[in-house]
Amino acid sequence: MSLLLHHPFIFTNTSSLHTYKTPSLTLSHTSKPSTAKWAAKCTAAAVSSPDISKEDGVLVGEDKGRADVVDYDWTEEWYPLYLAKNLPDDAPLGLTVFDKQVVLYRDGNGELQCYEDRCPHRLAKLSEGQIVDGRLECLYHGWQFEGEGKCVKIPQLPADAKIPRSACTKTYEVKDSQGVIWIWMSHKTPPNPSKIPWFENFARPGFVDISTIHELPYDHSILLENLMDPAHVPISHDRTDWSAKREDAQALAFKVTERTDRGFAGWWGREAEKSTPNFLRFEAPCNLQNNREIVDKDGVTNYFSGLFLCRPTGQGKSMLIVRFGSTKRSPLAKLFPEWYFHQNAGKVFEQDMGFLSSQNEILMKEKVPTKQLYINLRSSDTWVAEYRKWMDKVGHGMPYHFGHSTISMPVEPAVVEHAPAGFVASIAASSPAKGGIDTKYAPNPANRYFRHVVHCKECRSVVKAFETWKNGLSAVAAISVTFAILLNGRQWKALFLLATALCTGGAYMCSTVVAMNTTNFIRTHRRL
């Protein structure tokens, strides 16, 4: 069920599908397959594949000529910074966009403020500071900042001295739109409000969404590839819930209807069903949505949407805001608390973590464009090929990129994390607050607590509440069993033993909920 929410590529089958309405679409260029032939040699024999220039070839065709290059500056974009509901009320928050470190907070008037994450005095991180009377204070020497980065207090100055103008900090423009905080990264070009994405479905009457946020150990481009790849869901997430089954893996059909300098869009569906009811759109710099409309038996159109907002957070790292919603929810989904869907989303992303981080490692090691490494099938990888070809257009205006035919390597090597597996991983995941084995009081980057819960107010409160209940019930169970031992009356013994059993069971349930929110998902490979 929650794979339906967390992977919108899988929707409940219905007999009546509504035609998705989109504006008139134009193609900026036409893709034509090349006449090259592809051959692969195996150890036992050499086998030549069919000519991929044919329309019925199994591989995605190559474009003729040189890829279009367009004007692009990665800083002149709005990046999804954080979910507004999860921004701390009483502390600054340190975040990154590519290699730029920023600090975000709400001032005394409730206004969003965003600065470069370093104090102009001695370069200490302002995100390590605190909020004092609505101002951001550096904890190193107590300098305080407000509004447009103006320094308003330096405790070490004489009473009659003026604060130097150079004490101000660099600011960034931020906006709250549809519950997401966006940041404009350019200091050369004024913010362009028209570039802030607007998602129509999320503004519809009755539309309800579940939003989560996750830190992930691989490049944002690999994350986007994974999210626009419906073919992996039945295999990677087999039996995670009732939605994904490996026997449902099959050929898919894709229809690209729009290519622009800022992305692409089109339809997709299962080839066997001879329809493409799902509409996917990728838009610069890192926004992906997958939508569908379904008409019910009463003729009412219901809207379903999966929105993925991916922010690059450094070499080999990314942060993902996931928003799934609809104008009609399943009655069964209403029975589950929201934190359940949050932890299940974490489980889904952890299932992909191992092979996506290893993919990141190979791209960094090989240092060649993806067309020399990938085998893109028409029936599964069309969106992946489109995305990497879009990178060819704009990669020159990014800090680094891995394009289909071009590449610009990062200056710094990527931070690569492999998802742990087995007994040792389960032990390391059992103590998230202490970071796991051989570390003390340090974040465990492989743990769900540090990937999601630290960024989610609701899940933090759930973990805290269930920890409190677990400790309380355990204490009551200990007291009950003590009375059961000390008392002589048979009825009293039975009563206190029953209370002990109930409290022990309740403590176990609370412990299970805490574990769901704070431990790793350990993959168990199915043997068919």
Side-chain angles (χ1 to χ4, degrees):
M1 174 186 59
S2 57
L3 268 182
L4 169 62
L5 290 171
H6 295 288
H7 279 279
F9 309 113
I10 303 176
F11 287 91
T12 305
N13 290 329
T14 60
S15 57
S16 56
L17 295 179
H18 181 74
T19 304
Y20 194 92
K21 302 181 183 69
T22 58
S24 57
L25 303 173
T26 58
L27 302 182
S28 59
H29 67 275
T30 304
S31 298
K32 295 181 180 179
S34 69
T35 56
K37 291 187 176 182
W38 176 84
K41 293 184 178 181
C42 297
T43 304
V47 181
S48 296
S49 72
D51 189 337
I52 65 171
S53 67
K54 297 180 180 180
E55 288 296 321
D56 60 352
V58 298
L59 302 184
V60 174
E62 293 293 323
D63 296 331
K64 285 185 176 180
R66 187 175 179 177
D68 297 333
V69 175
V70 300
D71 290 336
Y72 189 81
D73 183 341
W74 75 273
T75 66
E76 297 179 4
E77 299 284 359
W78 293 93
Y79 288 82
L81 203 54
Y82 219 64
L83 284 169
K85 67 178 183 179
N86 286 329
L87 183 64
D89 299 319
D90 56 355
L93 179 67
L95 301 165
T96 60
V97 181
F98 281 112
D99 61 342
K100 302 297 183 182
Q101 297 181 338
V102 302
V103 57
L104 178 69
Y105 76 101
R106 289 191 188 275
D107 63 20
N109 298 320
E111 299 292 330
L112 292 170
Q113 304 293 347
C114 188
Y115 308 149
E116 184 178 28
D117 193 10
R118 67 184 190 186
C119 180
H121 178 213
R122 296 266 285 280
L123 310 182
K125 280 193 172 185
L126 292 173
S127 58
E128 297 291 335
Q130 60 186 350
I131 308 298
V132 178
D133 298 327
R135 300 168 176 173
L136 177 57
E137 180 182 271
C138 177
L139 273 184
Y140 196 1
H141 293 91
W143 290 28
Q144 292 183 0
F145 304 87
E146 67 178 10
E148 296 300 314
K150 182 181 179 181
C151 183
V152 293
K153 182 178 180 179
I154 298 179
Q156 295 79 20
L157 279 180
D160 58 347
K162 292 184 178 181
I163 296 175
R165 292 183 179 180
S166 58
C168 295
T169 186
K170 186 184 293 184
T171 64
Y172 289 89
E173 186 76 14
V174 289
K175 298 288 185 183
D176 183 347
S177 177
Q178 295 183 294
V180 176
I181 300 172
W182 300 83
I183 181 171
W184 179 263
M185 294 304 299
S186 178
H187 284 111
K188 298 183 298 182
T189 305
N192 183 350
S194 67
K195 276 191 171 183
I196 297 180
W198 179 259
F199 305 103
E200 182 181 1
N201 278 353
F202 286 80
R204 295 185 185 278
F207 193 89
V208 178
D209 73 284
I210 294 176
S211 300
T212 64
I213 187 166
H214 308 267
E215 285 192 83
L216 298 166
Y218 36 84
D219 188 68
H220 77 286
S221 66
I222 293 175
L223 172 59
L224 280 164
E225 269 192 5
N226 175 250
L227 295 171
M228 61 178 67
D229 173 20
H232 86 282
V233 175
I235 303 297
S236 300
H237 309 302
D238 179 30
R239 265 69 180 189
T240 297
D241 274 330
W242 306 294
S243 303
K245 299 178 181 178
R246 63 181 301 109
E247 52 267 31
D248 290 338
Q250 59 187 277
L252 303 174
F254 301 87
K255 183 180 180 181
V256 182
T257 54
E258 179 182 354
R259 294 187 183 96
T260 71
D261 294 346
R262 297 190 56 76
F264 58 89
W267 301 83
W268 70 272
R270 295 173 177 175
E271 188 177 77
E273 296 175 357
K274 306 299 182 183
S275 66
T276 52
N278 307 296
F279 183 75
L280 177 141
R281 178 180 295 279
F282 165 75
E283 185 177 5
C286 46
N287 307 319
L288 178 71
Q289 58 180 312
N290 197 81
N291 299 325
R292 185 166 178 177
E293 297 179 11
I294 299 178
V295 179
D296 63 21
K297 60 183 181 180
D298 299 322
V300 177
T301 301
N302 296 302
Y303 299 88
F304 299 82
S305 186
L307 178 61
F308 306 93
L309 308 175
C310 311
R311 172 165 51 86
T313 59
Q315 296 300 322
K317 296 186 293 183
S318 55
M319 180 168 276
L320 171 65
I321 294 174
V322 188
R323 307 190 72 182
F324 291 96
S326 64
T327 53
K328 183 179 181 180
R329 291 188 68 190
S330 165
L332 186 61
K334 297 177 183 179
L335 300 177
F336 290 83
E338 189 166 329
W339 63 261
Y340 171 81
F341 296 107
H342 287 208
Q343 66 81 29
N344 199 71
K347 179 167 61 177
V348 170
F349 290 117
E350 286 156 12
Q351 289 175 326
D352 293 336
M353 197 179 298
F355 49 79
L356 293 183
S357 58
S358 65
Q359 180 185 353
N360 199 129
E361 186 177 23
I362 292 172
L363 285 174
M364 292 292 296
K365 180 180 179 180
E366 296 291 340
K367 299 180 175 64
V368 295
T370 59
K371 78 172 184 179
Q372 299 184 39
L373 299 172
Y374 291 6
I375 300 175
N376 287 326
L377 301 178
R378 290 179 184 269
S379 55
S380 63
D381 305 314
T382 294
W383 300 140
V384 172
E386 287 291 330
Y387 175 59
R388 291 301 178 183
K389 289 177 182 179
W390 177 80
M391 280 284 197
D392 290 338
K393 289 183 177 183
V394 305
H396 64 91
M398 302 176 69
Y400 63 89
H401 80 285
F402 303 96
H404 180 70
S405 303
T406 61
I407 188 172
S408 175
M409 291 297 295
V411 176
E412 302 274 340
V415 177
V416 177
E417 302 169 12
H418 291 284
F423 178 70
V424 173
S426 64
I427 297 176
S430 64
S431 301
K434 294 184 179 180
I437 293 176
D438 293 331
T439 61
K440 289 184 178 179
Y441 310 110
N444 177 356
N447 192 276
R448 189 177 302 162
Y449 184 86
F450 293 101
R451 293 241 181 262
H452 167 68
V453 176
V454 294
H455 299 291
C456 179
K457 285 184 177 180
E458 179 175 354
C459 289
R460 286 201 307 274
S461 64
V462 165
V463 170
K464 184 178 180 179
F466 277 96
E467 280 279 14
T468 301
W469 274 102
K470 180 188 74 173
N471 295 335
L473 290 170
S474 298
V476 173
I479 295 172
S480 295
V481 75
T482 301
F483 277 107
I485 294 172
L486 296 177
L487 294 176
N488 294 324
R490 182 177 298 179
Q491 291 180 337
W492 286 108
K493 281 183 178 291
L495 180 62
F496 279 110
L497 286 174
L498 176 61
T500 300
L502 292 174
C503 290
T504 301
Y508 176 79
M509 292 177 62
C510 291
S511 179
T512 300
V513 172
V514 172
M516 289 169 69
N517 285 278
T518 61
T519 61
N520 292 344
F521 172 79
I522 309 301
R523 180 184 291 279
T524 55
H525 294 277
R526 296 182 67 243
R527 304 296 182 187
L528 300 181

